[in-house]
């Protein structure tokens, strides 16, 4: 008898990263339960799989427990953009804490392996640059980003305590800024903001002087890293990100050059606690997972821009 396909639960599966992961697992012939409360996720993102015998969609909020039979839990449910996670910060903290506790409880009960989508935000506004996994971070516990940053920090803590206390198999990915097709036009993160503004012929909004840096990873590279982490032996935390570091102004210049070089920039105040710099050290991912990103920013921007053009119906 052929081995039965792996049963995957993808929480946040209708979101940006989650829907790309769902595609990858479905294309590999696995079973997928996609769970989402549609706060920032959209059914359109996974519409192509609805009705497929290996696919099931569950409307559920991870802050409530759920009983399912699965082998792998990919725990991504959590808003990731500052405007969305700050919209209801108490709910965001609950989603990280209660949501992760519920998913770890499920993993324990059914003997599943759980991968947590943690974040580079656990490093806060880092005093160490670039950031290795050994850096313990500099997070303002009571600032406006804390609901997300501290939420993910306690989610990591829960994972390692469930591993130590109950023997749950865990994998923790520290994901750095990721971009690609399917980001929401009103997502509020920088790549989608700049692309939407440029396609609409509006000025690109630099917060502060745009001198702060980020390192942008294309979503296909991230998904490859997550799959290798889940199927590998190292529990993490492991940084998954692209070490190519850019100022926000450089990003704006790249997007403008690709869409409309005559557009102006405009500045807006830098949000509170906005990290000054961020760049992953990915030595651990290289040695433990044999992973590194393959898609440079300019190339990834091209396909992201094409996707936004199609969705916004802007002629090339
Ligand atoms: P996203 O907002 O597009 O997706 C999050 C998904 O989770 C959405 O579908 C949303 O509806 C769902 N969700 C939110 N709260 C929920 C709840 N309480 N119950 C059930 N579903 C819920 O964000 P994304 O960029 O796809 O991020 C996915 C994961 O990766 C998040 O955990 C995020 O923290 C992490 N991450 C993303 C990035 C990035 O740059 N994209 C960076 C670091 C970490
Ligand atoms: N940013 C910007 N203009 C925008 C949106 C964001 O200059 O329209 C800046 C933001 O201040 C931050 C960086 O871009 O310094 C990345 O912001 P994003 O929200 O994408 O991610 P995060 O701050 O969570 O890394």
């Amino acid at each position: 008898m052929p081995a039965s396909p792996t049963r995957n639960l993808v929480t946040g599966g209708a979101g940006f990263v989650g829907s790309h992961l769902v595609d990858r697992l479905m294309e590999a012939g696995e079973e997928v339960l996609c769970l989402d409360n549609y706060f920032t996720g959209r059914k359109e993102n996974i519409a192509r799989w609805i009705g497929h015998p290996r696919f099931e969609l569950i409307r559920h909020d991870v802050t409530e427990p759920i009983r399912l039979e699965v082998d792998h839990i990919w725990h991504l449910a959590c808003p990731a953009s500052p405007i969305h996670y700050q919209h209801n910060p108490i709910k965001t903290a609950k989603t990280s804490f209660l949501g992760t506790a519920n998913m770890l409880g499920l993993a324990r009960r059914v003997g599943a392996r759980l991968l947590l989508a943690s974040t580079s935000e656990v490093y806060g506004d880092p005093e160490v640059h670039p950031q290795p996994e050994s850096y313990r971070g500099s997070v303002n516990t009571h600032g406006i980003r804390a609901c997300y940053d501290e939420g993910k920090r306690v989610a990591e803590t829960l994972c390692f305590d469930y591993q130590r206390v109950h023997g749950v198999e865990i994998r923790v990915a520290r994901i750095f800024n990721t971009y690609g097709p399917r980001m929401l036009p009103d997502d509020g993160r920088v790549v989608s903001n700049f692309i939407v503004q440029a396609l609409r012929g509006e000025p690109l909004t630099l917060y502060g002087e745009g001198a702060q840096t980020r390192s942008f990873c294309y979503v296909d590279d991230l998904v490859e890293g997550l799959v290798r982490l889940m199927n590998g032996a190292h529990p993490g935390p492991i940084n998954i990100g692209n070490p190519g570091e850019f100022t926000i102004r450089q990003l704006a210049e790249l997007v403008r050059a690709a869409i409309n070089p005559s557009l102006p920039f405009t500045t807006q105040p830098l949000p509170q606690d906005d990290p000054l710099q961020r760049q992953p050290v990915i030595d651990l991912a290289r040695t433990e997972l044999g992973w590194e990103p393959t898609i440079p920013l300019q190339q990834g921007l091209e396909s992201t821009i094409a996707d936004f053009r199609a969705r916004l119906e802007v002629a090339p």
Side-chain angles (χ1 to χ4, degrees):
M1 252 198 26
S4 36
T6 306
R7 297 164 304 174
N8 297 279
L9 170 64
V10 181
T11 76
F16 161 53
V17 174
S19 64
H20 286 275
L21 176 63
V22 166
D23 288 351
R24 170 72 185 258
L25 298 172
M26 288 298 294
E27 280 156 9
E30 301 189 6
E31 281 183 18
V32 175
L33 296 179
C34 173
L35 182 157
D36 211 293
N37 71 349
Y38 303 116
F39 174 47
T40 51
R42 296 288 174 270
K43 262 192 196 158
E44 297 93 270
N45 289 342
I46 32 82
R48 61 186 284 214
W49 301 117
I50 294 173
H52 192 290
R54 284 186 284 103
F55 181 80
E56 219 169 306
L57 194 53
I58 306 166
R59 183 181 203 120
H60 181 78
D61 194 305
V62 290
T63 58
E64 302 289 339
I66 189 166
R67 285 175 165 253
L68 299 162
E69 295 297 326
V70 289
D71 306 302
H72 286 172
I73 301 173
W74 308 77
H75 182 39
L76 277 66
C78 184
S81 165
I83 55 164
H84 290 131
Y85 70 64
Q86 287 161 11
H87 170 73
N88 185 345
I90 297 165
K91 172 74 192 212
T92 299
K94 282 185 181 171
T95 291
S96 265
F97 178 63
L98 293 177
T100 304
N102 284 331
M103 290 307 121
L104 284 163
L106 174 65
R108 178 188 179 203
R109 197 172 53 80
V110 300
R113 180 180 294 177
L114 179 142
L115 181 148
L116 171 71
S118 184
T119 171
S120 54
E121 302 285 342
V122 299
Y123 301 125
D125 191 2
E127 300 129 324
V128 170
H129 191 74
Q131 296 81 50
E133 291 84 353
S134 56
Y135 176 51
R136 292 186 182 175
S138 166
V139 175
N140 175 359
T141 57
H142 50 86
I144 57 171
R145 295 174 78 102
C147 58
Y148 183 75
D149 304 3
E150 292 293 346
K152 290 289 186 176
R153 287 171 69 95
V154 78
E156 286 198 9
T157 305
L158 280 168
C159 284
F160 285 91
D161 283 333
Y162 265 78
Q163 181 189 50
R164 277 186 287 262
V165 177
H166 297 303
V168 171
E169 279 195 70
I170 54 143
R171 303 286 183 268
V172 175
R174 287 191 180 150
I175 302 170
F176 283 63
N177 296 63
T178 302
Y179 69 99
R182 296 190 194 147
M183 294 183 90
L184 292 177
D186 62 353
D187 179 90
R189 281 177 279 187
V190 68
V191 174
S192 46
N193 270 12
F194 286 171
I195 293 176
V196 169
Q197 288 160 351
L199 288 173
R200 291 183 175 151
E202 297 166 1
L204 277 61
T205 49
L206 300 177
Y207 298 168
E209 292 301 312
Q212 68 275 35
T213 69
R214 294 292 187 273
S215 303
F216 299 99
C217 185
Y218 190 66
V219 66
D220 290 356
D221 279 333
L222 168 64
V223 167
E224 179 64 33
L226 295 180
V227 168
R228 287 183 190 219
L229 176 60
M230 178 64 104
N231 294 321
H234 199 293
I238 295 189
N239 287 342
I240 308 278
N242 190 322
E245 184 186 15
F246 294 82
T247 66
I248 295 305
R249 185 175 286 273
Q250 284 173 326
L251 174 72
E253 278 159 2
L254 283 175
V255 171
R256 177 168 75 168
I259 298 176
N260 180 351
S262 65
L263 286 174
F265 295 156
T266 172
T267 55
Q268 290 187 12
L270 193 64
Q272 186 199 336
D273 292 337
D274 199 285
L276 202 61
Q277 51 186 0
R278 198 179 293 136
Q279 183 188 29
V281 173
I282 60 162
D283 295 353
L284 198 57
R286 283 199 176 102
T287 53
E288 290 294 333
L289 311 178
W291 177 87
E292 63 182 359
T294 58
I295 300 162
L297 181 56
Q298 237 157 325
Q299 187 187 331
L301 283 176
E302 275 171 33
S303 35
T304 310
I305 291 168
D307 170 70
F308 273 95
R309 254 191 221 288
R311 282 186 292 150
L312 299 175
E313 292 180 343
V314 181

